Amino acid sequence: MDAMEFFELSTGRWRSQRTTHHLAFKRSEAGESDIQVQAFAADHPQVIEICQLHEVDPKLAIGGAFVTWQGAMGWDKEEENHEGSTVFSLIPDADNPRQGSLLRERGYAEIVPVAGRYHMDDEDALVLTTEYETMSSIERFWFVSPSLRMRTSTVKRFGGFSTATFCTEFRIADASEVASNLTPDQINNAAQPTKHFSFFGW
């Protein structure tokens, strides 16, 4: 399986239940979110636009995805809002279709486009690695069954690990239902900056 096949399998609506461990405080925080994923073909206008933003030939893309999310965490204050959307493009390495670059319009706390790295591991899990100026993140996604997906992530900043997260994600709608619910405005607005750094939903 390559990364594009992984995103195609992920198309749909998911309910994510998460536990985030704040390592500096030695405390954990529970939360949940609603995530919608729609895979995009390589010739989709948004995939082409992201490639052009990164000055990458769009013909090298194998596709991409549009992800929206809404969530809440246990320590949230009234004004906190965990929602957003993003579009990204997949550019496989020429010598290995199971790894490559994942292009996004903007990363966490950055004002420039961000290119992360992805690879499929020996268990067909998708691993995403993103390096920022002050932090780095590693995420791993895998399917237990077609409707049950797991996710782990770690964020390292200022020389030490700051958070580790585990998510259990249940499919609650299939691809056709998600596609019919998305409006053109939602997709067009996905290129707006977002503060969240996960490439696969909050």
Side-chain angles (χ1 to χ4, degrees):
M1 179 163 57
D2 64 24
M4 194 60 224
E5 291 171 321
F6 190 96
F7 282 108
E8 288 167 349
L9 287 175
S10 297
T11 295
R13 183 179 173 194
W14 299 80
R15 175 59 52 85
S16 178
Q17 296 178 338
R18 61 193 283 141
T19 301
T20 296
H21 299 276
H22 300 272
L23 303 182
F25 302 109
K26 298 181 180 180
R27 294 181 62 188
S28 61
E29 179 184 19
E32 63 178 27
S33 58
D34 187 281
I35 300 168
Q36 294 189 72
V37 181
Q38 183 179 3
F40 281 167
D43 61 354
H44 192 282
Q46 289 282 1
V47 172
I48 294 172
E49 183 179 339
I50 297 299
C51 290
Q52 292 171 338
L53 185 64
H54 286 262
E55 299 182 345
V56 172
D57 185 353
K59 293 179 182 178
L60 298 176
I62 58 171
F66 172 53
V67 182
T68 65
W69 62 90
Q70 288 184 310
M73 293 296 290
W75 298 356
D76 284 351
K77 299 176 182 178
E78 268 189 44
E79 66 275 11
E80 287 193 80
N81 182 10
H82 301 289
E83 65 179 53
S85 61
T86 191
V87 174
F88 46 83
S89 301
L90 294 167
I91 311 294
D93 290 349
D95 59 347
N96 187 347
R98 286 170 57 85
Q99 67 181 35
S101 298
L102 190 150
L103 310 180
R104 186 177 171 184
E105 78 282 358
R106 179 175 171 168
Y108 179 74
E110 302 281 350
I111 58 173
V112 295
V114 171
R117 292 289 299 172
Y118 72 83
H119 73 269
M120 303 297 298
D121 68 17
D122 292 339
E123 298 179 331
D124 276 340
L126 176 69
V127 181
L128 304 176
T129 304
T130 311
E131 299 287 343
Y132 302 97
E133 193 172 318
T134 59
M135 69 175 70
S136 62
S137 68
I138 300 176
E139 300 174 275
R140 184 177 188 267
F141 306 81
W142 69 98
F143 285 97
V144 177
S145 71
S147 295
L148 177 61
R149 196 177 67 188
M150 301 294 189
R151 171 164 39 137
T152 60
S153 65
T154 57
V155 176
K156 183 178 181 180
R157 69 172 79 208
F158 305 120
F161 288 98
S162 58
T163 61
T165 299
F166 177 78
C167 301
T168 303
E169 300 177 335
F170 305 90
R171 190 191 303 273
I172 56 177
D174 63 19
S176 61
E177 292 176 85
V178 168
S180 65
N181 287 336
L182 294 175
T183 67
D185 283 344
Q186 282 181 301
I187 296 174
N188 291 334
N189 290 336
Q192 297 303 313
T194 175
K195 66 179 180 179
H196 302 288
F197 53 83
S198 172
F199 283 112
F200 217 148
W202 169 77

